[in-house]
Amino acid sequence: MQILKKTCGAYGTNCYILKSEQGDFIIDPGDGAFDFVKQNAAEVKAILNTHGHFDHVWDNEAVKRHFKAPIYIHKFDEFMLSDPFGMGHEHSKADILITDENEFDIAGVKFKFLLFPGHTPGCCMIELVGEGLAFSGDFLFQGSIGRYDFPYSDANLMKQSLERVAGFKDELRLLPGHGGETTLKTEQAHLDFWLRNF
């Protein structure tokens, strides 16, 4: 598999194209991502949103319309696709709402949405099952964590999510929603520091 990345928009949001033999998967098409996707993707099988913040879903509808690809997002963040922050992005509609953490298969590629609420109600890491890789969205960054002081954020849920991920044993390469890549093991080493701030 091949992964392409472009940093999009004023907030430096990472859009990823996961290219496989079965087709391409788009993760978090932010502001300006459509041209990047159009130039580098062929047969788009799905658009996967780690969460619903506008800078991660800005070009959802443009990509969906062009490639006829379904949008996947956790059900708790579906409401954000209609732009409750009033930022002006085109509204999009989810085709598949994630309701649990079961593995599911899209065109022969297996994914798992791992729910870590706090940054948003439906904030997820999207694991590429069997590949030791997860798109961590705005939950975990290189040397940092997602903010929990926004509308619809929840500090208590964020603390619980960090406590939960601290116990994960899997070795995972993390591709965050902003900044450079890291690993779960690297970020677990810093979790005590962040948890002391609650």
Side-chain angles (χ1 to χ4, degrees), residues 151-168:
Y152 312 112
S153 296
D154 187 310
N156 289 329
L157 288 176
M158 187 64 166
K159 181 180 180 181
Q160 292 172 25
S161 291
L162 292 173
E163 289 171 341
R164 179 184 173 219
V165 82
F168 274 39

Side-chain angles (χ1 to χ4, degrees), residues 134-156:
F135 299 93
S136 59
D138 283 8
F139 176 50
L140 293 177
F141 303 117
Q142 185 182 54
S144 189
I145 62 173
R147 290 175 59 175
Y148 44 87
D149 59 341
F150 292 134
Y152 312 112
S153 296
D154 187 310
N156 289 329

Side-chain angles (χ1 to χ4, degrees), residues 2-24:
Q2 180 185 15
I3 299 173
L4 306 179
K5 181 181 88 170
K6 179 177 175 60
T7 302
C8 299
Y11 296 92
T13 305
N14 293 330
C15 171
Y16 297 97
I17 302 175
L18 172 64
K19 301 184 73 66
S20 73
E21 292 181 358
Q22 295 90 330
D24 299 336

Side-chain angles (χ1 to χ4, degrees), residues 52-79:
H53 276 160
F54 60 89
D55 56 317
H56 293 256
V57 305
W58 195 281
D59 277 2
N60 261 10
E61 187 61 27
V63 174
K64 175 179 178 176
R65 185 167 51 241
H66 183 81
F67 289 99
K68 306 296 189 291
I71 294 171
Y72 290 67
I73 193 169
H74 195 278
K75 65 178 182 178
F76 293 155
D77 274 14
E78 178 190 17
F79 74 99

Side-chain angles (χ1 to χ4, degrees), residues 76-96:
F76 293 155
D77 274 14
E78 178 190 17
F79 74 99
M80 293 188 182
L81 299 180
S82 61
D83 193 19
F85 294 96
M87 299 303 293
H89 67 78
E90 186 176 5
H91 295 188
S92 57
K93 181 175 175 55
D95 299 281
I96 305 294

